[in-house]
Each structure stands twice: as structure tokens, then as C-alpha cells.
Amino acid sequence: MNPLTDGKREGLEKLSDKNGIIRALAIDQRGSLKKMISDGENLANEKSLQRFKALVSETLTPYASAILLDPEYGWPAADVRAKCTGLLMAYEKTGYDASAEGRLPDLLAHWSVKRLKNRGADGIKVLLYYDVDESPAINDQKQAFIERIGDECRAEDLPFFLEIVTYDARITDVLGEDYAKVKPHKVIEAMKVFSHDTYGVDVLKVEVPVNMAFVEGFGEKTIYTKEQAAEYFRAQSAATDLPFIFLSAGVSAELFRKTLYFAKESGSRFNGVLCGRATWKDGATKFAKEGEKAAEDWLHNQGRENIESLNEVLQTCATPWQRAGRFAK
């Protein structure tokens, strides 16, 4: 078991609140955000992307322990974040080559962990699309890729956050019933893989283990009873001794809060969130359709309400990352 070094511990403390809860705001979206803030056929340009990210950062980081940004459009937003807010930087290229098999990842050509650290990053985030049942040849490439990043982060003594987005190569609709039936297996087994010391991961950023739209009492159709869903949340916690945080996956702010309460009631020991669209996506619509002032007003009101309501949930439901088995004293 790799001990937590001084540099990594310091980075995690900067990215979490005084209670050890990671209350992070995510706005490292690039291609998807460009579409969200585009006005009809007029695609958003670099300046628009930078400006919207900066608006979100300036308005909402006083209520977040950290912000996740990208080095392509995010530096202006990093510069205007609240002084008490840590900086997590994405290192991967956005998306993947859909014409190639396996959703293989790639890194930004002009950046390294050293360069991101020198620009002020307190931690590094990499997104990986992963199907535990994909061919061994594909998954071996992905595992080697993560090993290399883990070694970079070790060399620079910087925390490594691995975001795992699961899929099934045979199922096109990850929001549908077929994927909902296999999602617990996909999420939990992927967490087991990348919890191994060889990858150098410090925090896992993961999906909740079920599609809440198919949990009894949460949606119109039931695939999992409440008891089954609760067991999957407990199994997820048992799958790793690393800290892990939930991504919002674009669900509504209300559903995300309800999900976190359910996770806590089920016995999950999750350590916080890295929440993006659930906090600010309607502000992006305002920015596209009504302009900067309308977006800014929305962020100051509904956006702030979204993040403060989420913080109240986390205060009740999340567990300090220092209590994760790997790092507990």
C-alpha cells in the first residue's frame, strides 16, 4: 500500500473543505459546453467559452472547496476563483475518436503534470471511458495509460483524480433499461481495477452504481428495488479503500441531492462530489439565449442556491476523505 506523501496530502487538503469533504465544482467541459452555449447555428468561440467558465468560477467558487477546469479554456476562470478554492486541472483531451475501437484516451499535447503544477494546479484529473468487459487488448492499453499518469503525479507529488465513465461496447444507450441492468457491475468492477497501487490514483471520481431513474420510488419503471439499489451502494463502498466522489452525470440538481441522501441511507461512505451541469447547466442556456448578464443573474440566484443546497446535503451525508481505508491513520 502506497502511503500518502506530504505533497499529495497538502493538495487534497487544498481541494477539500475544513472537514475533509470534497465539494468541488466541475466546468472542464469543452466540446459539450461549446454546443450548450452556442446560439443556433453560430457556434461559441474560444472567447465565449472562456467567459462563461469565468462567470461560473467567479460567482460560485466562494461556495466550493475546489473547481475543476481545463487548460484549453480555463485559465481565466482559474484566475478569478475564490482565494480559498483549490484548483483541479483536467489533463485529457475532450471526448474520444468515435471511428476507432475502444474509446481510447489521449492527453493534451502541450501539457504535462509538471506544467500544470507550475501553473498552479493543486491536483490532476483524467477521464477514462472504461468497460470492464471490453477486449483485454483494449483494456490493457487503458491500464498502461493510467499507470503512466500515476507515475507523473507521483514524480510531481500531486494528487491524481481518476474519473471513470463506464459503458458497454454492445449497448448504445447508457441511459436506457439494458444498460441500467449491467451498470452496477460495470461501475463497481472498474473501481476495483483502478484501486490497485500500481495506478497511483488518490481519488476516484465515479458514477453512482445504479441509474436512479429505475430505482423503486424514483422513476416510473422499476429495475432495482430500493433494497437492491442500497446493496449496490454498499458494494461500491466495499470495492475500494480509496476516497471516492460522485459525478452528477448531468441529472437535475434535485435528483442529485435525493441520490446523495439515498447513498448515505444505504451505507455509502462517499467523500464528496465533483458536480458540474447539475449546478450550472441552465445558466449556460441563459448565456446562449439571453446573453452574459442574464447568465450572471441566474448564477447569482439559482446557481448559488443549487450549490448551497448541495453543500447542506454533503454536510450531512459525506464522509471525510481522511477516513478512507487507504489513508486512515
Side-chain angles (χ1 to χ4, degrees):
M1 183 183 296
N2 295 327
L4 190 62
T5 59
D6 290 342
K8 285 177 176 276
R9 182 176 293 278
E10 181 181 354
L12 286 172
E13 288 172 349
K14 289 179 179 179
L15 296 165
S16 56
D17 66 19
K18 63 182 180 180
N19 297 314
I21 306 301
I22 298 170
R23 299 185 289 104
L25 175 66
I27 186 162
D28 63 323
Q29 290 84 353
R30 284 152 275 180
S32 61
L33 181 60
K34 183 178 290 188
K35 294 176 183 176
M36 291 173 73
I37 65 173
S38 294
D39 180 14
E41 296 181 357
N42 299 314
L43 285 176
N45 56 29
E46 179 178 345
K47 184 177 179 181
S48 295
L49 282 165
Q50 290 177 333
R51 184 58 192 144
F52 182 71
K53 287 172 183 279
L55 275 177
V56 170
S57 177
E58 190 171 26
T59 307
L60 299 182
T61 53
Y63 315 102
S65 69
I67 186 169
L68 169 62
L69 291 162
D70 60 281
E72 293 173 283
Y73 306 107
W75 293 117
D79 292 339
V80 298
R81 76 188 191 276
K83 291 182 179 179
C84 61
T85 304
L87 179 60
L88 189 61
M89 290 302 291
Y91 186 21
E92 79 281 352
K93 288 183 179 178
T94 188
Y96 55 87
D97 183 356
S99 66
E101 181 184 3
R103 306 189 189 187
L104 295 173
D106 199 2
L107 298 177
L108 294 167
H110 298 285
W111 291 96
S112 64
V113 173
K114 180 184 288 291
R115 292 183 179 190
L116 292 169
K117 180 181 180 180
N118 288 343
R119 280 293 299 268
D122 299 307
I124 301 299
K125 187 276 301 186
V126 168
L127 183 152
L128 180 72
Y129 292 95
Y130 199 77
D131 175 5
V132 294
D133 302 306
E134 184 73 89
S135 72
I138 292 293
N139 282 346
D140 190 55
Q141 287 185 65
K142 293 180 179 181
Q143 291 163 14
F145 176 83
I146 298 304
E147 287 171 8
R148 288 193 287 270
I149 298 165
D151 282 347
E152 270 198 87
C153 290
R154 284 191 189 102
E156 297 302 325
D157 207 8
L158 214 58
F160 176 18
F161 285 58
L162 176 61
E163 177 178 0
I164 304 172
V165 175
T166 62
Y167 68 98
D168 188 305
R170 302 160 299 179
I171 301 173
T172 56
D173 182 10
V174 294
L175 299 179
E177 293 180 38
D178 288 342
Y179 192 71
K181 294 173 183 177
V182 299
K183 184 178 181 181
H185 161 71
K186 301 289 186 181
V187 172
I188 292 168
E189 294 305 313
M191 289 175 66
K192 289 179 181 178
V193 170
F194 291 104
S195 295
H196 195 281
D197 286 352
T198 190
Y199 299 106
V201 174
D202 299 296
V203 178
L204 291 168
K205 177 187 177 187
V206 294
E207 303 154 290
V208 298
V210 295
N211 184 334
M212 294 299 294
F214 295 108
V215 175
E216 177 187 8
F218 283 84
E220 294 183 2
K221 183 164 186 177
T222 297
I223 288 178
Y224 333 89
T225 65
K226 285 186 177 180
E227 290 77 13
Q228 288 170 329
E231 179 53 38
Y232 287 132
F233 274 98
R234 289 190 289 272
Q236 180 180 49
S237 284
T240 185
D241 61 352
L242 288 172
F244 68 94
I245 59 179
F246 288 132
L247 55 93
S248 63
V251 302
S252 71
E254 181 182 9
L255 177 56
F256 193 47
R257 291 192 295 268
K258 288 180 178 179
T259 300
L260 298 181
Y261 278 124
F262 185 83
K264 171 66 173 179
E265 292 165 1
S266 300
S268 175
R269 59 154 185 79
F270 73 97
N271 307 104
V273 298
L274 235 173
C275 182
R277 289 167 291 171
T279 301
W280 52 255
K281 67 178 178 180
D282 289 341
T285 302
K286 289 281 186 183
F287 188 88
K289 294 183 177 180
E290 301 178 38
E292 182 176 321
K293 181 62 167 61
E296 186 174 9
D297 289 344
W298 186 93
L299 289 167
H300 273 294
N301 292 285
Q302 188 60 52
R304 175 179 174 177
E305 183 178 326
N306 286 345
I307 197 168
E308 288 190 315
S309 296
L310 181 59
N311 286 342
E312 289 179 10
V313 177
L314 292 172
Q315 187 175 4
T316 302
C317 297
T319 301
W321 63 261
Q322 294 93 336
R323 295 186 192 170
R326 182 76 58 92
F327 302 143
K329 292 182 179 180

